[in-house]
Amino acid sequence: MYHCTLNYIYHLFSTYYSSSSCVSSPFISLSLMEATPLVVAQPYKIINLQLKRRIIAMHRPRSVAKHPRNLDASTKTSYNDNCFDRLAINYLSQSLQSATGMRSGKEGYEGLVEAATMASRRFNPIQQKGVVIDTLKAALPAPLLLLQIKKTVPPSKFSRQLFAVFTTIFFAWLIGPCQVKESEVEGRKEKNVVYVPKCRFLEETNCVGMCTNLCKMPSQSFIKDSLGMPITMVPNFEDMSCEMKFGVEPPPQSLDPAFTQPCYKQCKAIKRNHNCGS
């Protein structure tokens, strides 16, 4: 069953991008399209030697080793983005700028952060959530493809673990180095949690409001509505870590601890006399 499901997802992606006249989204690595059919031995282990080699090669230049074992929120993290990372970062930045109608003069992650900062100043929290959801819809595959994935991979132990693995492989450029962790779901152990020791977006923006309004809330809604997968994102504003719990419904905003946290003293929005929305 796992083998057939993954092969079907692979077929959907490869068919869409091979037939599309538009430029392939960098969110889907070329290595995935070139890989041979996927084989799964366990729900959380994607075993494909060609894909594995390409993923390792793709991420080797990343400066994961520069992260100390015990991360300190006061220590600025250094990143060495590879070609795929830069392509994905600029693609998302341009999509966000198109959705907001604002332009950033910077490139790379700096440009993405500047675009997000401009959005946080111009729009209220509800509008910020809508802008990011529009950005994700424009940046990620066509709605028809997302719908097919939603139907093909309904919430289950396998799909929760698949989403977690996929996130660590293809989105480390956005959130920083991360790993899959185990948790208990309905009395059973699953590897459905993505643990980010130090979130790159939170560290770069240094703003609680931007974390909750431009990342946490829109991501939770988009993943649930577009892919059918409930997810709760639990940021830790003390050490800037975060846990993404796939298959877990988020609490109402009024009961979410993330919205009781005051912003950092070094918040760039507050320094410029802007309300960060935290």
Side-chain angles (χ1 to χ4, degrees):
M1 175 182 175
Y2 299 137
H3 172 75
C4 294
T5 302
L6 275 179
N7 273 314
Y8 183 66
I9 296 173
Y10 163 79
H11 174 72
L12 287 174
F13 278 110
S14 59
T15 301
Y16 172 76
Y17 285 109
S18 61
S19 62
S20 175
S21 59
C22 64
V23 177
S24 298
S25 168
F27 289 96
I28 307 302
S29 170
L30 293 176
S31 61
L32 180 60
M33 293 183 285
E34 296 169 0
T36 52
L38 300 172
V39 179
V40 174
Q42 298 181 35
Y44 60 90
K45 291 184 178 179
I46 301 177
I47 303 175
N48 179 296
L49 294 179
Q50 183 179 356
L51 177 60
K52 186 175 181 181
R53 291 193 202 100
R54 290 177 178 272
I55 290 172
I56 292 173
M58 179 178 72
H59 289 277
R60 186 172 292 124
R62 198 187 303 279
S63 55
V64 179
K66 294 187 179 181
H67 289 260
R69 181 166 297 181
N70 296 315
L71 291 171
D72 183 354
S74 64
T75 303
K76 181 70 174 178
T77 308
S78 175
Y79 290 90
N80 182 23
D81 296 314
N82 60 37
C83 292
F84 172 80
D85 298 332
R86 292 192 293 272
L87 177 64
I89 291 168
N90 288 325
Y91 187 86
L92 181 60
S93 178
Q94 291 299 321
S95 297
L96 179 58
Q97 292 173 50
S98 297
T100 59
M102 296 178 286
R103 293 297 171 191
S104 168
K106 300 179 180 178
E107 294 185 355
Y109 212 90
E110 261 191 272
L112 175 61
V113 170
E114 185 175 74
T117 303
M118 289 189 292
S120 70
R121 295 177 193 168
R122 180 172 178 177
F123 304 108
N124 63 42
I126 295 177
Q127 292 172 325
Q128 291 176 43
K129 177 180 176 181
V131 164
V132 173
I133 290 176
D134 289 342
T135 299
L136 293 174
K137 287 179 178 178
L140 291 171
L144 182 60
L145 180 59
L146 295 178
L147 180 62
Q148 289 297 323
I149 295 174
K150 184 176 180 179
K151 291 181 177 179
T152 306
V153 193
S156 64
K157 178 179 180 180
F158 165 68
S159 63
R160 290 189 287 268
Q161 296 183 149
L162 178 63
F163 271 77
V165 171
F166 189 89
T167 300
T168 61
I169 294 174
F170 293 103
F171 289 91
W173 56 268
L174 178 61
I175 58 179
C178 47
Q179 62 192 65
V180 175
K181 286 182 63 178
E182 193 175 65
S183 73
E184 189 171 298
V185 179
E186 299 177 353
R188 298 183 304 174
K189 295 291 185 180
E190 294 184 10
K191 292 195 173 184
N192 66 312
V193 178
V194 174
Y195 174 65
V196 187
K198 196 169 189 180
C199 177
R200 184 176 188 179
F201 184 74
L202 179 57
E203 181 182 22
E204 291 292 336
T205 58
N206 207 34
C207 179
V208 170
M210 291 178 68
C211 166
T212 54
N213 300 326
L214 290 170
C215 181
K216 173 180 163 64
M217 298 302 288
S219 296
Q220 290 178 167
S221 295
F222 178 80
I223 295 172
K224 171 67 181 297
D225 296 341
S226 299
L227 297 171
M229 176 59 66
I231 177 176
T232 297
M233 299 176 69
V234 186
N236 183 329
F237 296 113
E238 295 298 321
D239 61 5
M240 294 187 171
S241 66
C242 184
E243 286 191 343
M244 304 170 67
K245 301 180 179 181
F246 289 99
V248 180
E249 293 284 354
Q253 184 171 326
S254 59
L255 301 177
D256 196 325
F259 289 90
T260 63
Q261 171 74 31
C263 205
Y264 299 112
K265 292 181 180 179
Q266 296 82 11
C267 173
K268 297 174 182 178
I270 291 178
K271 284 184 176 182
R272 294 181 174 88
N273 297 318
H274 291 281
N275 181 9
C276 70
S278 63

